[in-house]
Amino acid sequence: MKKKSLIILMTVLTLVFTVNIGIAAEPVTLKGQVTEDNQLMTEDGEFIDIASTEKGEQVMDMVGETVEVRGTLIDSEEVKEIEVESFTVLK
């Protein structure tokens, strides 16, 4: 019984640490310019990677355009990335 409980505990801890990015995800709306490096340069000069999703790929094709994107921001120690759910091209 103790061995089974230990295995379950180890499994849960492993999942928590490997899915850490999911814990740091939050919905956001960002405005910025799309760069050649598939990033969004926000109004305050921060660079955020654009995730390679269907909507993200559409945004990546708008290099030089200023856009407002809505999506999930994944903020880990290694990277900040937005999974685009919707976007609008601004003038």
Side-chain angles (χ1 to χ4, degrees), residues 14-88:
T14 301
L15 287 173
V16 167
F17 287 113
T18 58
V19 186
N20 188 8
I21 291 176
I23 295 171
E26 58 186 73
V28 296
T29 299
L30 300 172
K31 292 180 186 176
Q33 186 175 33
V34 181
T35 71
E36 293 177 355
D37 297 324
N38 298 329
Q39 294 179 318
L40 184 69
M41 183 178 67
T42 64
E43 295 172 318
D44 59 353
E46 183 176 15
F47 288 88
I48 299 174
D49 292 338
I50 302 169
S52 185
T53 61
E54 183 179 345
K55 294 285 185 183
E57 296 283 340
Q58 293 174 9
V59 172
M60 288 179 205
D61 289 337
M62 300 182 174
V63 173
E65 296 286 342
T66 301
V67 296
E68 178 179 86
V69 296
R70 290 176 191 82
T72 303
L73 182 65
I74 300 170
D75 188 359
S76 71
E77 292 178 12
E78 298 85 32
V79 68
K80 261 192 178 176
E81 181 177 62
I82 187 159
E83 291 181 359
V84 180
E85 295 168 11
S86 64
F87 65 93
T88 305

